[in-house]
Amino acid sequence: MNWDIIATYAVAACLIVGAAFSLIGSIGLLKFNDSMTRLHAPTKVGTVGIGALLLAAMIHSYTIGEGVLHEALIMAFLFVTAPISANFMAKVNIHRRDCDMPPPPTKDEIWSTLDVPEADRELSETAGTSEQKV
């Protein structure tokens, strides 16, 4: 076996894996009930599926002697932006109260909430007035 045949098998395997993950992500997007669970399908599974398809394109481009810079840039952009967009969509759902809220903190009332203690409010107000004088 030479490297071209091995690369062809690797491309075929990546295409099958990418297509399967993309299909599973699409089915999950349609089947899940609420928006927070529906968010997991395209961001987690879909990213792996598209990544496998881009990896197949990179292997194929490398075997025919062309550069793989475009595919690598697309993959980097996808892997950076997908978690950020998922985080923003989850925050919107939480702030709109479209989903079940997490349980309240047990011992600390200001951890992971928007409550600020009075002492910190006073401190920020005095710091804000001193900055305005400068």
Side-chain angles (χ1 to χ4, degrees):
M1 284 181 107
N2 59 8
W3 288 109
D4 289 336
I5 295 172
I6 294 171
T8 303
Y9 285 132
V11 167
C14 287
L15 287 175
I16 291 170
V17 168
F21 271 93
S22 297
L23 179 67
I24 291 168
S26 301
I27 292 171
L29 184 62
L30 294 173
K31 291 291 182 180
F32 286 141
N33 294 331
D34 63 339
S35 58
M36 289 297 273
T37 55
R38 198 177 295 146
L39 182 65
H40 289 285
T43 55
K44 309 292 186 284
V45 178
T47 304
V48 173
I50 299 298
L53 294 174
L54 285 170
L55 183 63
M58 290 171 71
I59 294 170
H60 178 69
S61 294
Y62 185 73
T63 57
I64 62 174
E66 294 181 8
V68 294
L69 182 63
H70 291 97
E71 290 89 354
L73 290 175
I74 292 169
M75 191 179 291
F77 180 76
L78 175 74
F79 287 160
V80 168
T81 58
I84 294 170
S85 62
N87 186 15
F88 283 139
M89 286 185 269
K91 281 184 177 182
V92 166
N93 284 322
I94 289 172
H95 285 292
R96 288 179 60 195
R97 309 238 188 248
D98 288 342
C99 60
D100 294 334
M101 295 302 293
T106 56
K107 296 178 183 175
D108 189 7
E109 294 186 12
I110 61 170
W111 182 85
S112 77
T113 63
L114 299 176
D115 295 334
V116 178
E118 286 296 324
D120 289 344
R121 286 185 191 166
E122 293 171 3
L123 206 119
S124 66
E125 289 173 2
T126 58
T129 57
S130 66
E131 289 176 3
Q132 291 175 357
K133 291 180 182 177
V134 174

